[in-house]
Amino acid sequence: MTETLAIPSELTIYQAPALHQALAAALQSSTALQLNLSQTSELDTAAIQVLIWAQREAQRLGKPLSIVEPNACVLGFLSLTGLSSALRFGEAQS
Amino acid sequence: MNMELALQTFFEESNELLQDMEAILLEVDYSTITGEQLNALFRTMHTIKGSAGLFGLDAIVLFAHQVENALDLLRAGALSLDDTLAGLLLRCHDHVKSLLEATRQETAAPIAAGTPLLAELAALLPAEPETPEASVQPQQPTGHQVQRWLVSLRFGPDMLRNGMDPASFINYLHTMGQVERIQALTVNLPSAEHFDPETHYLRYELLFHSDCSQQQLCDAFEFVQDDSQILICLASEAERHFATLCATLCTAEAEALHQVWRDFGLFPAAKPASVAEVIPSISQSPRAGRTADNLFIKVEAHKIDSLINLIGELVIAGAATNLLARRAADPQLREATEVMAELVEQVRAGTLSMRMVQIGEVFQRFVRATHDVSRELHKSIQLHISGAETELDKAMVDKVGDPLMHLLRNAIDHGIETADTRRQAGKSSDGHVWLNAYHESSSVVIEVADDGAGLNADKILRKALERGLVSPAETLSESEVFKLIFEPGFSTAEQITDISGRGVGMDVVKKNIEQLHGSIEIDSILDQGTTFRIRLPLTLAIIDGLLVQVGQSTFVLPLEAVIECHELPASQTPSAKRDYFDLRGEILPLLDLAAFLEQPASHHARRNLVVVRAGIDKAALVVDALLGEFQTVIKPLGQLFRHLKAVSGSTILGSGEVALILDIPSLIHSACLQEAAELYSGNQPQYRGATSAQMTEPGGKNNEE
């Protein structure tokens, strides 16, 4: 079953280490993972790097990880920094 | 990653830039200023503006922007630098500094103070289009033509940790022009456990349209230049730079980069990258001239302080080990400890040298002060600085600034006469002030000299008599008279100005210098000038000492003050009466430490003499035994012992005993006083300006025999 990981609304370097740990642990324990970015209000490069890393790790480990419902804040940041193609977004499942 | 830390760096950088700006404005000859200097001037404000923008400090950005515009015109030749403009720019510099300071202190920024400055700047700016020179600048680098740039950014790995985000820089670029394409490269992102969430791994490639010059674009990244790899070039020339750029990259990154550039259409002829011309592009960075900066690491002061503290403990522990080894009479152990001691000594010297900074940093402030003060007083002053590279303990450099500033202001205000007076006295109408620093044995000497009126000994003496500082019966040597100006509340200024002469100051100067364990001397020749000479120890933390025994106690004499040691001649047992010592014909006052320090009489058959010096004064101290050299970590004495005149600190010996460090200048002073007291009690009124030899030769010998 797909586990939805709680993502804080602020995603910055202050949260990045915790997010990194949480994702690393979740990738080990769950079979499938879903990250919902609809509530994100603040984002920075450090957090984006963690998300990119998580997506690559999931692929490497063969575990489905989908990042869903990016809001305008997330999409705006990705397009500003030229990272639009670096993250793939999936369809939300409940 | 700490914002505070990043702000701190910003303040430091900005202050350095402001210093640069000030230095340029004050140093250059307006008629011969070079394009390079004008560029540097422009860059200072530009960088401050850019960095302030990153932190959202709008007040600074707004103001700096106007100054930058003026500097840009200056650089373009549309304005020329003269006294008025330099003055205005200096005031702008001050305003930016106060804005920065207010931000640092988190107080309300004095924005209103900038309004008149902005008005003055604005008065300069619109004149530009009409100025004919502005249009005839064929080779202006700031061509106001929109060009297509390639911006390739590989920020350093610590960027995020330092509180900066690439997004801010990209946002900033958006204010300078239009971003056509942007592509981030993620190939460097490591997998699995090699990933560190606080390290920056990305690379950004941008195609960018802007009317800014390459210089201006580079300046936007000046803040992160040092640890980043940044290439900014015209898109049409990008191809030439590819090989150089790739030389420093791993294959994966180079391939990804090639892909992005191809997408950007930067390789028109589908030419393989490997044959691209090799053009040094990164070295064209605007701060190439400042590469020396990269040789320095900024370290927090308290880290060095705690290291020095530890070294101090190490020195003490080392001394204890040495002592034990000597007692154990094991030659191998002794040898080993000696090697250790040697290494400890080197570590100590190395660590202390880390605290050493060049005194030029302080001197630089005086250039500006001289400029301001001489203007205010309508005197033309030339400041000559030498020995700016002399090194001194950082703590001392910080503390010596105020007293020096005071002496300098005094020299300009009271020392240098008005131009008319100077001409009448047959001097050049420009006053000269010299700041000079140099090493002498293990102390640093700083001189503030002027070619002004000199000190008037008669006038000082009269004033001192009026104020009851000396009694009419006293006879004083010239140098003693000069020293009176250090008495609290003493001022000979006839005219009290804003700059100095409020009757406070010289005593504070003396107190400040004494707090640094330094001394101050005055040389003055009437109508020719005055020299104040400050002598400071190199460091406050550790000294080399000579361990001596007096009675049952051990004392430390700072080795730098010791000239030589002698056995006390049997014929010269110190009498209770006048004491002197004949050192190869030179007569020195003799002070019996046992008596002076009220130690019980010793039973040593042979006693020793230590000849010491403080400044130009010398004295011979009688001690019971010499125990050898000792590296001494100075521990300050508690409040309780503050009134102790002849003791400057304490230290702990290898054996765990406490030894007091004697203060040589006050010992010599005491020796002289004692001698003087005896002279006066002996009813021998003499002018003590005469050398002590003349004074003691006839009477002294007879007394002994």
Side-chain angles (χ1 to χ4, degrees):
Chain A
M1 76 154 260
T2 304
E3 189 188 332
T4 302
L5 201 71
I7 301 283
S9 65
E10 264 182 43
L11 276 181
T12 66
I13 186 155
Y14 296 103
Q15 289 80 32
L19 182 68
H20 174 236
Q21 272 183 6
L23 281 169
L27 281 172
Q28 293 299 326
S29 60
S30 359
T31 47
L33 208 56
Q34 178 172 304
L35 304 179
N36 189 309
L37 297 186
S38 61
Q39 298 305 312
T40 308
S41 61
E42 214 184 325
L43 194 64
D44 75 0
T45 306
I48 286 289
Q49 283 194 150
V50 175
L51 294 178
I52 299 172
W53 168 84
Q55 207 160 50
R56 287 194 189 169
E57 275 304 284
Q59 199 168 13
R60 195 175 65 93
L61 299 169
K63 296 200 176 171
L65 175 135
S66 62
I67 303 175
V68 300
E69 291 184 24
N71 62 10
C73 166
V74 178
L75 293 175
F77 187 87
L78 291 175
S79 102
L80 173 76
T81 51
L83 281 162
S84 297
S85 58
L87 274 184
R88 288 182 313 281
F89 296 106
E91 287 294 312
Q93 300 168 356
S94 48
Chain B
M1 65 167 266
N2 189 340
M3 203 60 185
E4 271 303 304
L5 217 64
L7 255 177
Q8 197 57 42
T9 318
F10 163 66
F11 287 134
E12 274 174 31
E13 276 236 6
S14 301
N15 278 327
E16 275 171 30
L17 287 165
L18 284 173
Q19 268 176 24
D20 289 352
M21 176 178 177
E22 191 176 43
I24 296 173
L25 284 172
L26 293 171
E27 275 167 20
V28 296
D29 186 347
Y30 303 137
S31 52
T32 61
I33 187 163
T34 62
E36 200 174 307
Q37 283 167 319
L38 288 171
N39 265 330
L41 211 53
F42 171 79
R43 220 156 46 226
T44 55
M45 231 0 113
H46 181 78
T47 310
I48 291 175
K49 184 189 90 170
S51 308
L54 291 177
F55 289 101
L57 304 171
D58 293 336
I60 298 176
V61 175
L62 267 175
F63 187 80
H65 181 69
Q66 293 302 323
V67 185
E68 181 195 347
N69 280 345
L71 291 171
D72 196 24
L73 288 180
L74 201 58
R75 182 167 74 155
L79 284 175
S80 56
L81 193 62
D82 56 19
D83 234 21
T84 333
L85 183 55
L88 173 62
L89 288 174
L90 280 174
R91 278 181 289 137
C92 290
H93 156 276
D94 294 346
H95 183 61
V96 174
K97 200 166 183 173
S98 63
L99 287 176
L100 281 169
E101 196 52 38
T103 314
R104 189 206 287 262
Q105 311 268 349
E106 292 176 12
T107 53
I111 297 169
T115 321
L117 292 172
L118 284 176
E120 279 184 67
L121 284 172
L124 297 171
L125 300 182
E128 184 235 358
E130 284 95 49
T131 322
E133 307 102 279
S135 50
V136 286
Q137 289 292 328
Q139 290 206 322
Q140 244 338 286
T142 21
H144 295 297
Q145 192 188 348
V146 176
Q147 281 170 310
R148 193 160 171 253
W149 299 94
L150 172 81
V151 180
S152 175
L153 306 171
R154 178 71 177 98
F155 295 117
D158 290 329
M159 165 173 215
L160 300 172
R161 233 173 252 122
N162 292 338
M164 283 175 287
D165 196 293
S168 330
F169 286 90
I170 295 163
N171 262 327
Y172 185 67
L173 276 181
H174 275 277
T175 67
M176 299 172 82
Q178 209 187 346
V179 176
E180 180 193 322
R181 301 268 308 260
I182 174 163
Q183 182 65 49
L185 268 64
T186 56
V187 289
N188 282 335
L189 209 71
S191 62
E193 67 275 12
H194 299 298
F195 178 80
D196 174 357
E198 290 182 3
T199 300
H200 183 246
Y201 297 107
L202 306 179
R203 169 175 198 111
Y204 300 86
E205 302 300 313
L206 289 95
L207 275 178
F208 184 61
H209 294 265
S210 169
D211 58 357
C212 295
S213 66
Q214 182 177 26
Q215 182 78 65
Q216 284 171 317
L217 293 175
C218 286
D219 287 347
F221 301 98
E222 189 155 14
F223 201 33
V224 287
Q225 191 99 46
D226 291 346
D227 45 5
S228 302
Q229 188 193 46
I230 290 164
L231 167 70
I232 297 173
C233 63
L234 286 172
S236 54
E237 292 170 3
E239 194 185 354
R240 300 191 313 187
H241 297 300
F242 189 74
T244 335
L245 197 56
C246 284
T248 56
L249 304 180
C250 68
T251 329
E253 192 174 349
E255 273 169 18
L257 190 66
H258 191 256
Q259 183 65 40
V260 172
W261 284 30
R262 197 199 300 275
D263 286 353
F264 281 7
L266 298 177
F267 300 122
K271 199 162 56 167
S274 53
V275 295
E277 283 173 72
V278 175
I279 303 261
S281 55
I282 300 152
S283 61
Q284 282 173 359
S285 79
R287 290 178 71 175
R290 291 188 62 175
T291 40
D293 281 9
N294 299 345
L295 299 174
F296 294 99
I297 305 173
K298 277 189 180 153
V299 183
E300 283 169 63
H302 79 86
K303 284 190 186 166
I304 292 190
D305 286 345
S306 64
L307 183 60
I308 287 179
N309 248 333
L310 276 177
I311 303 277
E313 299 299 328
L314 185 63
V315 169
I316 292 176
T321 320
N322 267 345
L323 203 71
L324 287 178
R326 227 174 292 166
R327 279 191 201 148
D330 176 346
Q332 271 180 321
L333 180 62
R334 243 179 110 163
E335 204 170 300
T337 53
E338 237 132 73
V339 173
M340 275 281 283
E342 179 68 24
L343 288 173
V344 167
E345 161 65 17
Q346 283 176 20
V347 171
R348 177 193 81 122
T351 315
L352 285 182
S353 76
M354 277 200 261
R355 281 195 62 94
M356 294 297 189
V357 293
Q358 296 191 347
I359 198 157
E361 197 182 298
V362 180
F363 282 2
Q364 204 50 52
R365 275 163 51 193
F366 298 151
V367 179
R368 175 68 188 277
T370 311
H371 183 263
D372 289 354
V373 172
S374 59
R375 247 170 198 228
E376 191 173 327
L377 297 168
H378 307 293
K379 289 178 183 177
S380 174
I381 306 287
Q382 293 192 14
L383 181 66
H384 308 270
I385 289 180
S386 59
E389 70 290 341
T390 308
E391 289 192 325
L392 189 59
D393 191 289
K394 171 86 175 129
M396 303 262 248
V397 166
D398 291 344
K399 283 182 190 145
V400 84
D402 286 345
L404 276 181
M405 181 71 87
H406 197 94
L407 290 177
L408 184 81
R409 285 173 176 230
N410 251 326
I412 298 173
D413 195 9
H414 303 317
I416 303 283
E417 318 89 324
T418 58
D420 289 341
T421 324
R422 287 182 67 88
R423 270 193 295 271
Q424 278 164 21
K427 299 186 198 177
S428 65
S429 55
D430 283 5
H432 295 264
V433 176
W434 289 267
L435 270 174
N436 185 19
Y438 54 92
H439 284 282
E440 195 182 88
S441 63
S442 55
S443 54
V444 171
V445 181
I446 306 169
E447 290 177 341
V448 181
D450 64 66
D451 67 344
L455 291 175
N456 188 329
D458 293 340
K459 208 159 105 186
I460 295 171
L461 194 58
R462 232 179 13 250
K463 196 102 171 183
L465 286 171
E466 261 171 47
R467 306 231 162 148
L469 295 171
V470 288
S471 73
E474 281 179 73
T475 44
L476 298 169
S477 72
E478 199 171 49
S479 71
E480 280 170 317
V481 173
F482 290 157
K483 277 184 183 156
L484 288 172
I485 66 170
F486 292 121
E487 294 296 320
F490 190 92
S491 170
T492 53
E494 278 152 8
Q495 192 186 4
I496 289 183
T497 66
D498 234 12
I499 310 299
S500 50
R502 291 190 205 89
V504 289
M506 287 312 256
D507 57 321
V508 179
V509 169
K510 189 174 183 222
K511 215 177 284 167
N512 284 345
I513 299 295
E514 281 174 353
Q515 270 168 10
L516 296 172
H517 300 282
S519 62
I520 182 163
E521 294 162 20
I522 310 173
D523 277 348
S524 182
I525 301 172
L526 197 61
D527 292 331
Q528 288 187 23
T530 310
T531 303
F532 287 91
R533 195 169 296 117
I534 297 174
R535 212 175 284 272
L536 294 169
L538 277 180
T539 176
L540 297 173
I542 301 182
I543 55 164
D544 283 318
L546 176 67
L547 219 52
V548 298
Q549 195 179 349
V550 178
Q552 296 304 308
S553 311
T554 317
F555 293 91
V556 178
L557 300 173
L559 203 58
E560 71 202 35
V562 174
I563 305 172
E564 55 189 304
C565 300
H566 282 274
E567 195 177 320
L568 185 71
S571 63
Q572 195 147 20
T573 340
S575 62
K577 287 245 165 189
R578 187 179 317 144
D579 300 324
Y580 72 96
F581 176 66
D582 184 346
L583 178 71
R584 296 183 292 273
E586 191 181 359
I587 305 298
L588 303 175
L590 189 70
L591 187 71
D592 186 351
L593 279 185
F596 180 75
L597 299 165
E598 295 172 21
Q599 293 290 316
S602 68
H603 309 290
H604 280 263
R606 290 171 153 193
R607 308 182 74 201
N608 287 283
L609 262 179
V610 183
V611 180
V612 293
R613 176 181 73 175
I616 49 165
D617 300 321
K618 288 183 191 172
L621 306 176
V622 182
V623 301
D624 291 341
L626 303 172
L627 302 178
E629 277 180 39
F630 180 68
Q631 270 180 18
T632 305
V633 185
I634 303 179
K635 307 256 176 200
L637 286 173
Q639 286 286 315
L640 198 58
F641 304 105
R642 224 176 16 172
H643 65 281
L644 285 180
K645 258 281 172 193
V647 177
S648 60
S650 65
T651 188
I652 298 167
L653 301 178
S655 60
E657 278 174 69
V658 172
L660 295 176
I661 302 168
L662 295 177
D663 182 26
I664 300 298
S666 63
L667 277 180
I668 293 182
H669 187 64
S670 306
C672 293
L673 275 187
Q674 184 184 325
E675 195 179 75
E678 278 158 19
L679 268 177
Y680 290 126
S681 66
N683 259 338
Q684 286 178 295
Q686 281 188 26
Y687 189 61
R688 284 194 49 231
T691 66
S692 21
Q694 286 170 321
M695 176 172 70
T696 39
E697 232 164 27
K701 282 263 155 66
N702 293 341
N703 254 1
E704 279 306 314
E705 283 155 14

